[in-house]
Structure formats: C-alpha cells, structure tokens
Amino acid sequence: MRRFLLPFLAIVIFYSESIFATFSPVEMFGDTRFLVPRFLFIFLIFLSIYYQRNAGYIYGFVFGFMYDVFFTGVIGVYMFLFPALIYAARFILRYINQNAVVTGLIGLFLMAALEFLVYQFNLLIGVAGIDFQTFLNQRLYSTLLFNALFILIAAYPLKMWMTALRKSQFDD
C-alpha cells in the first residue's frame, strides 16, 4: 500500500497545478500577472534530494512527458528539462547544506531557469507572444513569488515525509 502513496501524491500535485492555474491571470498593482504553479517541479526536486535520486529522474521524465502532453503543444520540452534541472539541483546540493530552506531556494532558482528556458524555446519556435521585459514583469516574478509561498507551506512537511519514507523503505 505504501508503494502507491508516492505516485498517488505526484498525480494529485500534477492535477492540482491545473486547479491553481484557473486563478491566473490576476490583476495586481494595475497590471496583469500570470501565476504559474510549479508545485510538481518543487515536489520532484524534494523527491530526488530527500527520497531517491533515480526516483526523481524517473518521475521527472514521466511527469515531464505528461506535462508536455496535457499542457503544451510541443512534446519533449518539459520531458527533457525536468530531469536536467533535477540533476542540476542534485549537483548544487552536493556541495552545500541540504536543509529544507536551501533546497527551496535552489528550487526557486531552478524554477526561474525552467521558466526562462521554456520562454526561450517558445521564442525560438515562434509561439511566444511577449517580449522579454513583459515576460519578466508579468510572468516570472509573480510565478516565483506564488511558488515561494507554496515552498514556505510545503517544504518542511515534504522533507520530513520523504525522509521518513526513505527510512521506512530501508526498514522493510
């Protein structure tokens, strides 16, 4: 039964992103802001750091593919970027302290990289309808702030749960 808990939670987080995306765009400070939930990405980083490295890569690949199928018209962008950025997170966190705060900050930094790379790819293929300054002001800053709030709420419980899950796996 415990073996299905992790995939079930990942699927719930995957679908919760689309629920939270219905609240976007919002009017804030006299401008339209897009709040893009990246809860799954944060979950995947915490999964690879505090549970198992290979599980993070596999879930990143599978859910990246699902993200491409359900939310984008181009197959392969998220399927490639999720595992690559999870690898970057593991590489960075190998050299610094792995507590929930640092992992969350690294997650925000890599989320900014994810948003920037997706924007650049969309610009390359000609489907990005906004310039870079508009991207920064209307999408990136508000997305990072929105997801920072999620990290503040979920980082410590995710870390504790995944650490306990890893320990219980070795006890069985």
Side-chain angles (χ1 to χ4, degrees):
M1 183 65 180
R2 257 189 279 166
R3 112 176 40 154
F4 297 113
L5 192 58
L6 192 63
F8 177 73
L9 181 61
I11 290 169
V12 167
I13 291 172
F14 176 76
Y15 283 114
S16 72
E17 283 189 1
S18 62
I19 293 168
F20 279 94
T22 60
F23 299 117
S24 182
V26 296
E27 286 293 322
M28 195 180 312
F29 306 117
D31 202 7
T32 302
R33 306 286 179 179
F34 293 93
L35 306 174
V36 181
R38 296 287 185 207
F39 308 148
L40 181 67
F41 183 68
I42 295 301
F43 173 79
L44 293 173
I45 288 177
F46 275 79
L47 178 72
S48 68
I49 299 299
Y50 297 113
Y51 181 61
Q52 286 181 346
R53 175 185 58 214
N54 291 339
Y57 296 142
I58 292 168
Y59 277 73
F61 183 80
V62 169
F63 281 98
F65 178 72
M66 288 175 58
Y67 208 91
D68 285 333
V69 169
F70 287 110
F71 299 123
T72 66
V74 181
I75 303 294
V77 175
Y78 289 98
M79 185 174 63
F80 170 75
L81 286 177
F82 280 178
L85 292 173
I86 289 168
Y87 178 79
R90 289 204 46 85
F91 181 79
I92 293 168
L93 287 167
R94 183 181 328 165
Y95 298 107
I96 57 178
N97 190 9
Q98 293 183 5
N99 62 40
V101 173
V102 173
T103 304
L105 289 174
I106 297 297
L108 279 176
F109 173 74
L110 292 173
M111 187 182 310
L114 173 70
E115 290 292 324
F116 176 75
L117 290 169
V118 169
Y119 170 74
Q120 288 298 319
F121 182 77
N122 287 333
L123 198 63
L124 180 70
I125 63 172
V127 296
I130 57 175
D131 64 347
F132 186 69
Q133 191 64 37
T134 306
F135 165 74
L136 287 177
N137 292 331
Q138 289 186 351
R139 183 175 171 137
L140 184 64
Y141 299 146
S142 55
T143 296
L144 292 177
L145 186 63
F146 180 62
N147 287 289
L149 182 63
F150 171 75
I151 290 171
L152 280 174
I153 294 169
Y156 188 71
L158 271 176
K159 176 189 175 195
M160 297 309 291
W161 182 71
M162 288 186 187
T163 303
L165 189 64
R166 183 182 68 211
K167 286 180 183 176
S168 72
Q169 184 182 30
F170 290 119
D171 290 342
D172 290 343

